[in-house]
Amino acid sequence: MPDDHAPKATQGFATRMSHAGRAGTRAHGFVNPPVHRGSTVLMPSAQARRDFAKDRFNRVMTYGTAGGPTHYALEDVICEIEGGTRCVLVGTGLAAVTVPLMAYLKTGDHCLMPDSVYGPARNIANGLLAQYGVATTFYDPTIGEAEVAALIQPNTKVVYTESPGSHTFELQDIPAIARAAHARGCTVMMDNTWGIHNFMPFEHGVDVSIQALTKYVGGHSDVLLGSITTNTEEDYLKVRTAASQMGHFAAPDDCWLALRGARTMPVRLKHQEQSALTVARWFENRPEVQRVLHPGLPSHPQHALFTRDFRGSCSLFGVVLQPAYTEADMFRLIDSLKLFGIGASWGGYESLALPTTGFITRTATSEDLGGQTMRIHIGLEDVADLIADLEQGMATLPR
Ligand SMILES: *Cc1c(COP(=O)(O)O)cnc(C)c1O
């Protein structure tokens, strides 16, 4: 078998996830790359030490923080998932959000962020970025090219996006936003955790793509990890330099777990997508439910954008109850569920339910969704069992 297991662009996603980032002949025939833990890397000579140090972002092993074979394997896999050319791994999904923001913004700059952004991204905008003199405007995530263009100031450097939005699932017209941003020299960043391989960021104008690998790539709720993927050498060096200066690192053991997760991700994702659609449609037909926030359903207000830009959906969506129900009613429903844990994160093998109402911040749009809202994550359980559990949960609501 040749050393070159490199996947081909013509191959399907599952095939590429099986073959990307393998050990080749470097691990005595073992299929998987080993975990290379380490700080010190011994050099063959003093001169080599000097030469290697100049080239530390090009897979030359000089010190633990510069990465090693386990990192390289996972970087290759992430590039396969997102269609990018280079990837920077960091210790959490949140670090994958903050590192590019710190890399591209400086004192006096301005950043645009969607109002539906992942909460901790709002926190760094209002926290450290504000502290360092970077201003952020939160915008309605559903606006188009002209409205985004109107919000861009001479000092705007980053247009940040996340589609669909955390908790509220608004889709963004990424190509239109990217056109407005690029016409004014701004960099487009996207948190693509929900879209994963169903939304190809670089085909839609994104420059820097963020993934919480904690979610579907990890897939087992046992690892925290993030990736920042780019498609030009310039963007890669910018992100890599910032991550390096701030001492970011991804533990090789965690990278190894993410590599293991990636092999089965296409199968898990497909299964969870189907189960989630089944459960979402079931919710839609319940009299207790006002609406379901799932971009893959024709009832979603931006379903046309979904069919235009996405190849599929995932297993996370929102459920808005009828306006008559109170917070106590929703809490009782969530507490009654046996198969749905009450916990943050998603993308794992286990189902989760979380209250959304009262846990989100909106400053440019209304946070009133018209009724008590919860976020549902569908795991790998049998869908009939999940629906039976939800059925008994709905029975706790007052008639
Ligand atoms: C979970 C999440 C993150 C952060 O990932 P962590 O690994 O938990 O830090 C970032 N963006 C989105 C959309 C997420 O859901």
Side-chain angles (χ1 to χ4, degrees), residues 91-95 97 118 120 160 162 164 166 191-194 210-215 223-226 316 345-346 375:
T92 63
L94 178 54
V97 171
Y118 174 64
Y160 192 93
E162 180 183 336
S166 274
D191 184 330
N192 191 34
T193 304
W194 194 93
I210 293 156
Q211 276 288 340
L213 305 182
T214 305
K215 309 293 161 57
V223 65
L224 287 157
L225 211 59
L316 190 78
S345 203
W346 46 285
R375 191 180 77 174

Side-chain angles (χ1 to χ4, degrees), residues 227-242:
S227 66
I228 307 138
T229 305
T230 56
N231 209 18
T232 69
E233 193 63 11
E234 192 189 341
D235 284 319
Y236 170 73
L237 287 175
K238 203 152 180 154
V239 173
R240 186 70 183 85
T241 302

